[in-house]
Amino acid sequence: MTPRSTPARWEFLALRLWHAALAGGFVVAYVTADEDTYNMHVFSGYWVVTALALRLAMALAGSDRGPLGLPRPSLAAIRDKLAGKPGRNPLFVWMAALLLPALALGGLSGIVADLLPIAEDLHEGLAEAGLWLALAHAAIIAWIFQGRRIREVLAGRLARASLLALLAVLGAARVQAGEVFSAERGEALYRSVNAASPDFPSCATCHTADPTRPGRHAKTGRAILPMAVSANPKRFTDAAKVEERFERDCKTVLGRACTAQEKGDYITFLRGK
Amino acid sequence: MNAINRLLLALGLAVTALPASADSVRPVTDPLTLQACGECHMAFQPAFLPARSWTRMMDGLADHFGDNAAMAADKAAHVRKVLVDGAADTGGGKVGAKVMRRLGPDATPLRITETPGFLRKHRLPASEWARPEVVTKSNCPACHVRAEKGDYED
């Protein structure tokens, strides 16, 4: 009754189940295409065609602008999305507009080929094209949902690596042949107990003995995100912030500035933690 | 509903809203300031101290209540401007005016917790301050959970 209602949970569940049914039918049809499994091939082919028809019915049952909706694809929507407009990615609709007819052609040509053997080659070609389209569809979906996280992790790795490279150059005079930075030395520094400040004798005072756990500022009580990169992927990715923290905390805890060697060791320890 | 009833309702709603507005202060919205101060403690609203206090504070970052809070010069200049512009005697609004009224003309406090305005509102039993999550008197959000949004309702 409410045309602009927000999508319900059942719609997302229905969409997942439908994808499973369609993909399952398609895979069975694909591997049973030989003559000796012809009955199963025909059955799974009808299954696919039925699933495609069901998808159109689901589009009518779903909420307006929900995940089941199949509005007319438009280029303007892609432009809006690129401009940062929130909402459903318009690529979904474009993929549906391409995939549903393509798979339907594959299925319907199979029904024709069942009656007229001359259409067999056409059916095989269409089904093959459908498979590649479906794989491309899966890759695009994976990129939309997982790509962001992958990009962030890669950017973080790159930032940390360039930071370490810079520190290696700065500390070049002290670097021994072979090993540049050592996680063991970094850990020793992290756990060292110093006399410079009674309030902050060690890194572990605020960051705790286990760097994968969140810490707490010993004086202000402010929560601190974990130091270990495994628990906090953004750690050591902002060079200015890293430099500021070393500048302050080395003087506070050790009573002196840290060398490039020590900074590199420290990051190496927490990157592998 | 006639006009008089509507007026009465509006008046009633306004009165119930009064205590809330009395305990709220303009929050810090500048992202660089939020990040720079918030790194170690809550980014206190500048309206709690006069501009001269913030100037003194930013002049002594290397010894910030015993801690080294040194930061890049351009960053410090930006934060200094935000704090001075929003201070009790410049852009502090109602709360700022109250802070100034109770403060001596030459007083340049560095700790908000030592201003007369703060002390007047925080006559609490020692057991309250001793609660483990409080740690220190400057940990506003331990009790005022929306303190960082400028809401100091008890």
Side-chain angles (χ1 to χ4, degrees):
Chain A
M1 296 308 283
T2 48
R4 293 210 159 185
S5 61
T6 48
R9 288 181 73 90
W10 73 264
E11 293 181 63
F12 290 98
L13 181 66
L15 192 62
R16 282 208 188 105
L17 287 174
W18 176 80
H19 272 92
L22 179 70
F26 192 93
V27 167
V28 170
Y30 195 83
V31 299
T32 56
D34 286 335
E35 285 298 326
D36 52 346
T37 48
Y38 191 68
N39 282 342
M40 198 182 276
H41 181 70
V42 170
F43 176 81
S44 53
Y46 275 104
W47 176 280
V48 166
V49 172
T50 309
L52 291 168
L54 183 67
R55 181 68 185 83
L56 300 180
M58 285 162 69
L60 295 175
S63 59
D64 193 30
R65 297 203 277 178
L68 298 180
L70 292 173
R72 180 198 297 266
S74 85
L75 288 171
I78 294 182
R79 275 199 302 273
D80 288 350
K81 186 74 188 173
L82 287 176
K85 196 178 166 205
R88 194 182 181 206
N89 195 318
L91 273 180
F92 292 159
V93 172
W94 276 98
M95 286 187 290
L98 198 62
L99 277 158
L100 290 177
L103 295 177
L105 276 177
L108 293 174
S109 66
I111 298 174
V112 174
D114 193 25
L115 306 169
L116 303 169
I118 196 167
E120 273 177 5
D121 283 348
L122 174 70
H123 172 59
E124 197 180 331
L126 287 169
E128 197 74 34
L131 175 73
W132 286 105
L133 277 174
L135 290 176
H137 170 65
I140 290 171
I141 293 294
W143 183 246
I144 289 174
F145 285 110
Q146 290 298 321
R148 198 186 142 99
R149 192 183 304 167
I150 293 168
R151 280 192 294 270
E152 273 178 1
V153 168
L154 287 180
R157 283 213 181 134
L158 192 68
R160 272 188 298 275
S162 61
L163 202 59
L164 281 170
L166 183 71
L167 289 170
V169 171
L170 290 173
R174 298 168 52 99
V175 171
Q176 310 287 308
E179 188 189 48
V180 181
F181 293 126
S182 143
E184 287 73 33
R185 278 199 303 268
E187 177 161 18
L189 179 65
Y190 181 91
R191 301 195 187 287
S192 68
V193 179
N194 307 275
S197 161
D199 293 325
F200 304 101
S202 169
C203 306
T205 305
C206 296
H207 299 299
T208 79
D210 177 0
T212 62
R213 301 191 52 90
R216 182 173 286 277
H217 194 289
K219 265 194 189 168
T220 68
R222 182 70 144 181
I224 304 172
L225 291 174
M227 290 304 288
V229 170
S230 64
N232 176 13
K234 293 222 165 115
R235 192 56 83 188
F236 307 119
T237 58
D238 178 347
K241 177 171 173 168
V242 172
E243 196 41 53
E244 185 180 280
R245 292 296 355 163
F246 273 131
E247 165 78 17
R248 290 178 183 175
D249 296 344
C250 289
K251 280 186 186 153
T252 302
V253 177
L254 304 176
R256 60 171 175 83
C258 286
T259 64
Q261 178 74 56
E262 285 172 326
K263 293 176 188 174
D265 291 343
Y266 191 80
I267 296 176
T268 303
F269 163 54
L270 292 161
R271 187 176 63 162
K273 196 66 189 166
Chain B
M1 205 190 287
N2 63 38
I4 293 180
N5 272 349
R6 223 177 283 179
L7 193 71
L8 283 176
L9 180 67
L11 215 64
L13 288 175
V15 167
T16 56
L18 265 183
S21 63
D23 280 345
S24 69
V25 56
R26 204 168 298 150
V28 180
T29 53
D30 177 61
L32 188 64
T33 308
L34 278 174
Q35 183 261 321
C37 306
E39 182 113 340
C40 302
H41 55 70
M42 181 196 133
F44 305 112
Q45 286 82 11
F48 287 126
L49 288 175
R52 55 181 186 268
S53 289
W54 292 120
T55 302
R56 196 177 142 206
M57 185 99 62
M58 296 304 290
D59 283 342
L61 282 182
D63 181 7
H64 188 65
F65 306 105
D67 285 349
N68 182 1
M71 60 184 82
D74 52 341
K75 189 167 153 187
H78 179 92
V79 172
R80 178 193 292 258
K81 184 169 167 18
V82 169
L83 294 175
V84 167
D85 288 353
D89 48 345
T90 52
K94 258 190 210 163
V95 169
K98 277 192 202 170
V99 169
M100 292 314 291
R101 207 179 312 141
R102 300 201 171 86
L103 205 63
D106 298 321
T108 310
L110 287 182
R111 293 180 193 274
I112 295 169
T113 53
E114 289 173 1
T115 58
F118 178 94
L119 293 169
R120 204 180 132 268
K121 291 257 192 177
H122 292 85
R123 287 179 198 135
L124 301 169
S127 60
E128 280 295 311
W129 295 117
R131 277 161 51 201
E133 68 271 28
V134 174
V135 183
T136 164
K137 281 194 184 183
S138 64
N139 194 359
C140 311
C143 305
H144 309 281
V145 288
R146 288 176 305 280
E148 297 186 58
K149 298 203 162 58
D151 178 359
Y152 286 85
E153 191 67 27
D154 296 324

